[in-house]
Coordinates of all heavy atoms in Angstrom, one line a residue:
M1 N 125.1 84.7 120.6 CA 126.2 84.8 119.8 C 126.5 83.4 119.2 O 126.3 82.4 119.9 CB 127.4 85.3 120.5 CG 128.6 85.6 119.7 SD 128.3 86.9 118.5 CE 129.6 86.7 117.4
A2 N 126.9 83.3 118.0 CA 127.2 82.0 117.3 C 128.5 81.4 117.9 O 129.4 82.1 118.2 CB 127.3 82.2 115.8
N3 N 128.4 80.1 118.1 CA 129.6 79.4 118.7 C 130.5 78.8 117.7 O 131.7 78.7 117.9 CB 129.1 78.3 119.6 CG 128.4 78.9 120.9 OD1 128.9 80.0 121.3 ND2 127.4 78.3 121.4
T4 N 130.0 78.3 116.5 CA 130.8 77.6 115.6 C 131.2 78.5 114.4 O 130.5 79.5 114.2 CB 130.1 76.4 115.0 OG1 128.9 76.8 114.3 CG2 129.7 75.4 116.1
S5 N 132.2 78.2 113.8 CA 132.7 79.0 112.6 C 131.7 78.9 111.5 O 131.5 79.9 110.8 CB 134.1 78.5 112.1 OG 134.0 77.2 111.7
S6 N 131.0 77.8 111.3 CA 130.0 77.7 110.2 C 128.8 78.6 110.6 O 128.2 79.2 109.6 CB 129.5 76.3 110.0 OG 129.0 75.8 111.2
A7 N 128.4 78.7 111.8 CA 127.3 79.6 112.2 C 127.7 81.1 112.0 O 126.9 81.9 111.6 CB 126.9 79.4 113.7
I8 N 128.9 81.4 112.3 CA 129.4 82.8 112.1 C 129.4 83.1 110.6 O 129.0 84.2 110.2 CB 130.8 83.0 112.6 CG1 130.8 82.9 114.2 CG2 131.4 84.3 112.2 CD1 132.1 82.8 114.8
K9 N 129.8 82.2 109.8 CA 129.8 82.4 108.3 C 128.3 82.5 107.8 O 128.1 83.3 106.9 CB 130.4 81.2 107.6 CG 130.5 81.3 106.1 CD 131.2 80.1 105.5 CE 131.1 80.3 104.0 NZ 131.7 79.1 103.3
R10 N 127.4 81.7 108.3 CA 126.0 81.8 107.9 C 125.4 83.2 108.3 O 124.6 83.8 107.5 CB 125.2 80.7 108.6 CG 125.4 79.4 108.1 CD 125.2 79.2 106.6 NE 123.7 79.2 106.4 CZ 123.2 79.2 105.2 NH1 124.0 79.3 104.1 NH2 121.9 79.3 105.0
I11 N 125.8 83.8 109.4 CA 125.4 85.1 109.8 C 125.9 86.1 108.8 O 125.1 87.0 108.4 CB 125.9 85.4 111.2 CG1 125.1 84.6 112.3 CG2 125.7 86.9 111.5 CD1 125.7 84.7 113.7
R12 N 127.2 86.0 108.4 CA 127.7 86.9 107.4 C 127.0 86.8 106.1 O 126.7 87.8 105.5 CB 129.2 86.7 107.2 CG 130.1 87.2 108.3 CD 131.6 87.3 107.9 NE 132.0 86.2 107.1 CZ 132.7 85.1 107.7 NH1 132.9 85.1 108.9 NH2 133.1 84.1 106.9
S13 N 126.8 85.6 105.6 CA 126.2 85.4 104.3 C 124.7 85.8 104.3 O 124.3 86.4 103.3 CB 126.4 83.9 103.8 OG 125.7 83.1 104.7
S14 N 124.0 85.6 105.4 CA 122.6 86.0 105.4 C 122.5 87.5 105.5 O 121.6 88.0 104.9 CB 121.9 85.3 106.6 OG 122.4 85.8 107.8
A15 N 123.4 88.1 106.1 CA 123.4 89.6 106.1 C 123.7 90.2 104.7 O 123.0 91.1 104.3 CB 124.5 90.2 107.1
R16 N 124.6 89.5 104.0 CA 124.9 89.9 102.6 C 123.6 89.7 101.7 O 123.2 90.6 101.0 CB 126.0 89.0 102.0 CG 127.1 89.8 101.5 CD 128.2 88.9 100.8 NE 128.1 87.5 101.0 CZ 128.8 86.8 101.8 NH1 129.7 87.3 102.6 NH2 128.7 85.4 101.8
K17 N 123.0 88.6 101.9 CA 121.8 88.3 101.1 C 120.6 89.2 101.5 O 119.9 89.7 100.6 CB 121.3 86.8 101.3 CG 122.3 85.8 100.7 CD 121.9 84.4 101.0 CE 122.9 83.4 100.4 NZ 122.5 82.1 100.8
R18 N 120.5 89.6 102.7 CA 119.5 90.5 103.2 C 119.6 91.8 102.6 O 118.7 92.4 102.1 CB 119.4 90.5 104.7 CG 118.3 91.4 105.3 CD 118.2 91.3 106.8 NE 119.4 91.7 107.4 CZ 120.2 91.0 108.1 NH1 120.0 89.7 108.2 NH2 121.3 91.5 108.7
R19 N 120.9 92.3 102.5 CA 121.1 93.6 101.9 C 120.8 93.6 100.4 O 120.1 94.6 99.9 CB 122.6 94.0 102.1 CG 122.9 94.5 103.5 CD 124.3 95.2 103.5 NE 125.3 94.3 103.1 CZ 126.1 93.6 103.9 NH1 125.8 93.6 105.2 NH2 127.0 92.8 103.5
R20 N 121.1 92.6 99.7 CA 120.8 92.5 98.3 C 119.3 92.4 98.1 O 118.7 93.0 97.2 CB 121.5 91.2 97.7 CG 121.2 91.2 96.2 CD 121.5 89.8 95.6 NE 120.4 88.9 96.1 CZ 120.4 87.6 95.9 NH1 121.4 87.0 95.3 NH2 119.4 86.9 96.4
N21 N 118.6 91.6 98.9 CA 117.2 91.4 98.8 C 116.4 92.8 99.0 O 115.5 93.1 98.3 CB 116.6 90.4 99.8 CG 117.1 89.0 99.4 OD1 117.6 88.8 98.3 ND2 116.9 88.1 100.3
I22 N 116.9 93.5 100.0 CA 116.3 94.8 100.3 C 116.4 95.8 99.1 O 115.5 96.4 98.7 CB 116.9 95.5 101.5 CG1 116.5 94.7 102.8 CG2 116.6 96.9 101.6 CD1 117.2 95.1 104.0
L23 N 117.6 95.8 98.4 CA 117.8 96.6 97.2 C 116.9 96.2 96.1 O 116.2 97.0 95.5 CB 119.3 96.5 96.8 CG 120.3 97.2 97.6 CD1 121.7 96.9 97.1 CD2 120.0 98.7 97.6
V24 N 116.8 94.9 95.9 CA 116.0 94.4 94.8 C 114.5 94.7 95.0 O 113.7 95.2 94.2 CB 116.2 92.9 94.5 CG1 115.2 92.3 93.5 CG2 117.6 92.7 94.1
R25 N 114.0 94.4 96.3 CA 112.6 94.6 96.6 C 112.3 96.1 96.5 O 111.2 96.4 96.1 CB 112.4 94.1 98.1 CG 111.0 93.8 98.3 CD 110.8 93.2 99.7 NE 111.5 91.9 99.9 CZ 112.4 91.7 100.8 NH1 112.7 92.6 101.7 NH2 113.0 90.5 100.9
S26 N 113.2 97.0 96.9 CA 112.9 98.4 96.9 C 112.8 98.9 95.4 O 111.9 99.6 95.1 CB 114.1 99.1 97.6 OG 113.9 100.5 97.4
S27 N 113.6 98.4 94.6 CA 113.6 98.8 93.1 C 112.3 98.3 92.5 O 111.7 98.9 91.7 CB 114.8 98.3 92.4 OG 114.8 96.9 92.3
V28 N 111.8 97.1 92.9 CA 110.6 96.5 92.4 C 109.4 97.4 92.8 O 108.5 97.8 92.1 CB 110.4 95.1 92.8 CG1 109.0 94.6 92.6 CG2 111.3 94.2 92.1
R29 N 109.4 97.8 94.1 CA 108.3 98.6 94.6 C 108.2 99.9 93.9 O 107.2 100.4 93.6 CB 108.5 98.8 96.1 CG 108.1 97.6 97.0 CD 108.2 97.9 98.4 NE 108.0 96.7 99.2 CZ 108.7 96.5 100.4 NH1 109.6 97.3 100.8 NH2 108.5 95.4 101.0
T30 N 109.4 100.5 93.7 CA 109.5 101.8 93.0 C 108.9 101.7 91.6 O 108.2 102.5 91.1 CB 110.9 102.3 93.0 OG1 111.4 102.4 94.3 CG2 111.0 103.7 92.3
A31 N 109.3 100.6 90.9 CA 108.9 100.5 89.5 C 107.4 100.2 89.4 O 106.7 100.8 88.6 CB 109.7 99.3 88.9
V32 N 106.9 99.4 90.3 CA 105.4 99.2 90.4 C 104.7 100.4 90.7 O 103.6 100.7 90.1 CB 105.1 98.0 91.3 CG1 103.6 97.9 91.6 CG2 105.7 96.7 90.8
K33 N 105.2 101.2 91.6 CA 104.5 102.4 92.0 C 104.5 103.4 90.9 O 103.4 104.1 90.6 CB 105.2 103.1 93.2 CG 104.4 104.2 93.9 CD 105.1 104.7 95.1 CE 105.1 103.7 96.2 NZ 105.7 104.3 97.5
K34 N 105.6 103.5 90.1 CA 105.6 104.4 88.9 C 104.6 103.9 87.9 O 104.0 104.7 87.2 CB 107.0 104.4 88.4 CG 108.0 105.3 89.1 CD 109.4 105.2 88.4 CE 110.4 106.0 89.2 NZ 111.7 106.0 88.6
A35 N 104.5 102.6 87.7 CA 103.6 102.1 86.7 C 102.1 102.4 87.1 O 101.3 102.7 86.3 CB 103.8 100.6 86.6
V36 N 101.8 102.2 88.4 CA 100.5 102.5 88.9 C 100.1 104.0 88.7 O 99.0 104.3 88.2 CB 100.3 102.1 90.4 CG1 99.0 102.6 91.0 CG2 100.4 100.6 90.5
V37 N 101.0 104.9 89.0 CA 100.8 106.3 88.8 C 100.6 106.6 87.3 O 99.7 107.4 86.9 CB 102.0 107.1 89.4 CG1 101.9 108.6 89.0 CG2 101.9 107.0 90.9
A38 N 101.5 106.0 86.5 CA 101.4 106.2 85.0 C 100.1 105.8 84.4 O 99.5 106.4 83.6 CB 102.5 105.6 84.3
T39 N 99.6 104.6 84.9 CA 98.3 104.1 84.4 C 97.1 104.9 84.9 O 96.1 105.1 84.3 CB 98.1 102.6 84.7 OG1 98.2 102.4 86.1 CG2 99.1 101.8 84.0
G40 N 97.3 105.5 86.1 CA 96.2 106.3 86.7 C 96.1 107.6 86.0 O 95.0 108.2 85.8
D41 N 97.2 108.2 85.5 CA 97.2 109.5 84.8 C 96.9 109.3 83.4 O 96.8 110.3 82.7 CB 98.6 110.1 85.0 CG 98.8 110.5 86.4 OD1 97.9 110.6 87.2 OD2 100.0 110.8 86.8
A42 N 96.9 108.1 82.9 CA 96.7 107.8 81.4 C 97.8 108.5 80.6 O 97.6 109.1 79.6 CB 95.3 108.2 80.9
A43 N 99.0 108.4 81.1 CA 100.2 109.0 80.5 C 100.5 108.3 79.2 O 100.1 107.1 79.0 CB 101.4 109.0 81.4
A44 N 101.2 109.0 78.3 CA 101.5 108.4 77.0 C 102.5 107.3 77.1 O 102.5 106.3 76.3 CB 102.0 109.5 76.1
D45 N 103.4 107.4 78.1 CA 104.5 106.4 78.2 C 104.1 105.3 79.3 O 104.9 104.6 79.8 CB 105.8 107.0 78.6 CG 105.7 107.7 80.0 OD1 104.6 108.0 80.4 OD2 106.7 108.0 80.6
S46 N 102.8 105.1 79.5 CA 102.4 104.2 80.5 C 102.7 102.7 80.1 O 103.0 101.9 81.0 CB 100.9 104.3 80.9 OG 100.1 104.1 79.7
M47 N 102.7 102.4 78.9 CA 103.0 101.1 78.4 C 104.4 100.7 78.7 O 104.8 99.6 79.2 CB 102.7 100.9 76.9 CG 102.9 99.5 76.4 SD 101.9 98.3 77.2 CE 102.5 96.8 76.5
D48 N 105.3 101.7 78.4 CA 106.8 101.5 78.7 C 107.0 101.3 80.2 O 107.8 100.5 80.6 CB 107.6 102.6 78.2 CG 107.6 102.7 76.7 OD1 107.4 101.6 76.0 OD2 107.7 103.8 76.1
T49 N 106.3 102.1 81.0 CA 106.5 102.1 82.5 C 106.0 100.7 83.0 O 106.6 100.1 83.9 CB 105.7 103.2 83.1 OG1 106.0 104.4 82.4 CG2 106.1 103.3 84.6
V50 N 104.9 100.2 82.5 CA 104.3 98.9 82.9 C 105.3 97.8 82.5 O 105.6 96.9 83.2 CB 102.9 98.7 82.4 CG1 102.5 97.3 82.6 CG2 102.0 99.7 83.1
R51 N 105.8 98.0 81.3 CA 106.8 96.9 80.8 C 108.0 96.9 81.7 O 108.5 95.8 82.0 CB 107.1 97.2 79.4 CG 107.8 96.1 78.7 CD 108.0 96.4 77.2 NE 106.7 96.3 76.5 CZ 106.4 97.0 75.4 NH1 107.3 97.9 74.9 NH2 105.2 96.9 74.9
S52 N 108.5 98.0 82.1 CA 109.7 98.1 82.9 C 109.4 97.5 84.3 O 110.3 96.9 84.9 CB 110.3 99.5 83.0 OG 109.4 100.3 83.7
A53 N 108.2 97.7 84.8 CA 107.8 97.2 86.1 C 107.7 95.7 86.0 O 108.2 94.9 86.9 CB 106.5 97.8 86.6
A54 N 107.2 95.1 84.9 CA 107.1 93.7 84.8 C 108.5 93.1 84.7 O 108.8 92.0 85.2 CB 106.3 93.4 83.5
S55 N 109.4 93.8 84.0 CA 110.8 93.3 83.9 C 111.4 93.3 85.3 O 112.2 92.4 85.6 CB 111.6 94.2 83.0 OG 112.9 93.9 82.9
A56 N 111.2 94.3 86.1 CA 111.7 94.4 87.4 C 111.2 93.2 88.3 O 111.9 92.6 89.1 CB 111.4 95.7 88.1
L57 N 109.9 92.9 88.1 CA 109.3 91.8 88.9 C 110.0 90.5 88.4 O 110.3 89.6 89.3 CB 107.8 91.8 88.6 CG 107.0 92.8 89.4 CD1 105.6 92.9 88.8 CD2 106.9 92.5 90.8
D58 N 110.2 90.3 87.1 CA 110.8 89.1 86.6 C 112.3 88.9 87.1 O 112.7 87.8 87.5 CB 110.8 89.1 85.1 CG 109.4 88.8 84.5 OD1 108.6 88.2 85.3 OD2 109.2 89.2 83.4
R59 N 113.0 90.1 87.2 CA 114.3 90.0 87.8 C 114.3 89.6 89.2 O 115.2 88.8 89.7 CB 115.0 91.4 87.6 CG 115.7 91.6 86.2 CD 116.6 92.7 86.2 NE 116.1 94.0 86.8 CZ 115.4 94.9 86.0 NH1 115.2 94.6 84.8 NH2 114.9 95.9 86.6
A60 N 113.4 90.1 90.0 CA 113.3 89.7 91.4 C 113.0 88.3 91.6 O 113.5 87.6 92.5 CB 112.2 90.6 92.1
V61 N 112.2 87.7 90.7 CA 111.9 86.3 90.7 C 113.2 85.5 90.4 O 113.5 84.5 91.1 CB 110.8 85.9 89.7 CG1 110.7 84.4 89.6 CG2 109.5 86.5 90.2
S62 N 113.9 85.9 89.4 CA 115.1 85.2 89.0 C 116.2 85.2 90.1 O 117.0 84.3 90.2 CB 115.7 85.7 87.7 OG 116.2 87.0 87.9
K63 N 116.2 86.3 90.9 CA 117.2 86.4 92.0 C 116.7 85.7 93.2 O 117.4 85.6 94.2 CB 117.4 87.8 92.3 CG 118.2 88.5 91.2 CD 118.4 90.0 91.5 CE 119.0 90.8 90.4 NZ 120.4 90.5 90.2
G64 N 115.4 85.2 93.2 CA 114.9 84.5 94.4 C 114.4 85.4 95.5 O 114.2 84.9 96.6
V65 N 114.2 86.6 95.2 CA 113.7 87.6 96.2 C 112.2 87.5 96.3 O 111.6 87.7 97.4 CB 114.1 89.0 95.8 CG1 113.5 90.0 96.7 CG2 115.6 89.1 95.8
M66 N 111.5 87.1 95.2 CA 110.0 87.1 95.2 C 109.6 85.8 94.6 O 110.3 85.2 93.7 CB 109.5 88.2 94.3 CG 108.1 88.4 94.2 SD 107.6 89.8 93.2 CE 107.9 91.1 94.4
H67 N 108.4 85.3 95.0 CA 107.9 84.0 94.5 C 107.3 84.3 93.1 O 106.8 85.4 92.9 CB 106.8 83.5 95.4 CG 106.4 82.1 95.1 ND1 105.4 81.8 94.2 CD2 106.9 80.9 95.6 CE1 105.3 80.5 94.1 NE2 106.2 79.9 95.0
K68 N 107.4 83.3 92.2 CA 106.9 83.6 90.8 C 105.4 83.8 90.7 O 105.0 84.6 89.9 CB 107.3 82.4 89.9 CG 106.7 81.1 90.3 CD 107.1 80.0 89.3 CE 106.3 78.7 89.7 NZ 106.6 77.7 88.7
N69 N 104.6 83.2 91.6 CA 103.2 83.4 91.5 C 102.8 84.8 92.0 O 101.9 85.5 91.5 CB 102.4 82.4 92.3 CG 102.5 81.0 91.7 OD1 103.0 80.9 90.6 ND2 102.0 80.0 92.4
S70 N 103.6 85.3 93.0 CA 103.3 86.7 93.5 C 103.7 87.7 92.4 O 102.9 88.7 92.2 CB 104.2 86.9 94.7 OG 104.1 88.2 95.2
A71 N 104.8 87.5 91.7 CA 105.1 88.4 90.6 C 104.1 88.3 89.5 O 103.7 89.3 88.9 CB 106.5 88.1 90.1
A72 N 103.6 87.1 89.2 CA 102.7 87.0 88.1 C 101.4 87.7 88.5 O 100.7 88.3 87.6 CB 102.4 85.5 87.9
R73 N 101.0 87.6 89.7 CA 99.7 88.2 90.2 C 99.9 89.8 90.1 O 99.0 90.5 89.6 CB 99.5 87.9 91.6 CG 98.2 88.5 92.2 CD 97.9 88.1 93.6 NE 98.9 88.6 94.5 CZ 99.8 87.9 95.2 NH1 99.8 86.6 95.1 NH2 100.7 88.5 96.0
R74 N 101.0 90.3 90.5 CA 101.3 91.7 90.4 C 101.3 92.2 88.9 O 100.8 93.3 88.6 CB 102.6 92.1 91.1 CG 102.5 92.0 92.6 CD 103.8 92.3 93.2 NE 103.8 92.1 94.6 CZ 104.4 92.9 95.5 NH1 105.0 93.9 95.1 NH2 104.3 92.6 96.8
K75 N 101.9 91.4 88.1 CA 102.0 91.8 86.6 C 100.6 91.7 86.0 O 100.2 92.6 85.2 CB 102.9 90.8 85.9 CG 104.4 91.0 86.2 CD 105.3 90.3 85.2 CE 105.0 88.9 85.0 NZ 106.0 88.2 84.2
S76 N 99.8 90.8 86.4 CA 98.4 90.7 85.9 C 97.6 91.9 86.3 O 96.9 92.4 85.5 CB 97.8 89.4 86.5 OG 96.4 89.3 86.1
R77 N 97.8 92.3 87.6 CA 97.0 93.5 88.0 C 97.5 94.7 87.3 O 96.6 95.6 87.0 CB 97.2 93.6 89.5 CG 96.5 92.6 90.3 CD 96.7 92.7 91.8 NE 96.0 91.6 92.5 CZ 96.2 91.4 93.8 NH1 97.0 92.1 94.5 NH2 95.5 90.4 94.4
L78 N 98.8 94.8 87.0 CA 99.3 96.0 86.3 C 98.7 96.0 84.9 O 98.3 97.1 84.4 CB 100.8 96.0 86.2 CG 101.5 96.5 87.5 CD1 103.0 96.3 87.3 CD2 101.2 98.0 87.7
M79 N 98.7 94.9 84.2 CA 98.2 94.8 82.9 C 96.7 95.1 82.8 O 96.2 95.8 81.9 CB 98.4 93.4 82.3 CG 99.9 93.1 82.0 SD 100.6 94.3 80.9 CE 102.3 93.8 81.0
K80 N 96.0 94.7 83.9 CA 94.6 95.0 84.0 C 94.3 96.5 84.1 O 93.4 97.0 83.5 CB 94.0 94.2 85.2 CG 92.5 94.1 85.2 CD 92.1 93.2 86.4 CE 90.6 93.0 86.5 NZ 90.3 92.1 87.6
R81 N 95.1 97.1 84.9 CA 95.0 98.6 85.1 C 95.3 99.3 83.8 O 94.7 100.3 83.4 CB 96.0 99.1 86.2 CG 95.6 98.8 87.6 CD 96.6 99.3 88.5 NE 96.6 100.8 88.6 CZ 95.9 101.5 89.5 NH1 95.2 100.9 90.4 NH2 95.9 102.8 89.5
L82 N 96.3 98.8 83.1 CA 96.7 99.4 81.8 C 95.6 99.3 80.8 O 95.3 100.3 80.1 CB 98.0 98.7 81.3 CG 98.6 99.3 80.0 CD1 99.1 100.7 80.2 CD2 99.7 98.4 79.5
Q83 N 95.0 98.1 80.7 CA 93.9 97.9 79.8 C 92.7 98.9 80.1 O 92.1 99.5 79.2 CB 93.4 96.5 79.8 CG 94.4 95.5 79.2 CD 94.6 95.8 77.7 OE1 93.7 96.1 76.9 NE2 95.9 95.7 77.3
K84 N 92.4 99.0 81.4 CA 91.3 99.8 81.9 C 91.6 101.3 81.5 O 90.7 102.0 81.1 CB 91.1 99.6 83.3 CG 89.9 100.3 83.9 CD 89.8 100.0 85.4 CE 88.5 100.6 86.0 NZ 88.4 100.3 87.4
A85 N 92.9 101.7 81.7 CA 93.2 103.1 81.4 C 93.2 103.4 79.9 O 92.9 104.5 79.5 CB 94.6 103.4 82.0
S86 N 93.6 102.4 79.1 CA 93.6 102.6 77.7 C 92.2 102.7 77.1 O 92.0 103.4 76.1 CB 94.4 101.5 77.0 OG 93.8 100.3 77.1
K87 N 91.3 102.0 77.7 CA 89.9 102.1 77.2 C 89.2 103.4 77.6 O 88.3 103.9 76.9 CB 89.1 100.9 77.8 CG 89.4 99.6 77.1 CD 88.6 98.5 77.7 CE 89.0 97.1 77.1 NZ 88.2 96.0 77.7
A88 N 89.6 103.9 78.7 CA 89.0 105.2 79.2 C 89.4 106.4 78.5 O 90.2 106.4 77.6 CB 89.3 105.3 80.7

């Protein structure tokens, strides 16, 4: 158990941040999964789905939930899948 008031405050604030990070991370995973499914099915709206997933990744980076290189790598892989699906 925390002994000082500052340690107690840090526990509260870290719990708040953890809840926010979980929400953001979950929405990013959902958006990326939808984009992967859309590119696999060669759906007509796959470009919009990939674009929304890239936007979700950028929002996660701006909130500090995800590292920028990690988001860039995921966006690159999504775009690569989209190009492959559009050629097929």
Side-chain angles (χ1 to χ4, degrees):
M1 188 64 198
N3 290 327
T4 62
S5 60
S6 60
I8 293 169
K9 180 180 176 183
R10 291 298 289 172
I11 290 170
R12 281 197 319 265
S13 65
S14 64
R16 235 185 351 260
K17 290 176 185 178
R18 185 172 59 248
R19 283 192 300 268
R20 185 200 66 188
N21 290 347
I22 288 169
L23 286 173
V24 172
R25 202 176 300 122
S26 174
S27 66
V28 166
R29 285 184 186 142
T30 303
V32 169
K33 194 178 290 187
K34 283 182 182 177
V36 167
V37 169
T39 55
D41 295 342
D45 63 340
S46 60
M47 182 61 184
D48 295 332
T49 313
V50 169
R51 194 174 288 149
S52 67
S55 176
L57 286 164
D58 288 336
R59 276 196 307 274
V61 169
S62 70
K63 291 176 187 288
V65 177
M66 184 180 281
H67 193 272
K68 64 178 183 174
N69 290 353
S70 176
R73 182 181 66 244
R74 289 177 185 219
K75 288 194 307 188
S76 173
R77 288 177 182 171
L78 280 175
M79 293 300 172
K80 197 172 179 182
R81 284 180 72 96
L82 182 66
Q83 291 299 319
K84 189 176 179 181
S86 66
K87 287 181 182 178

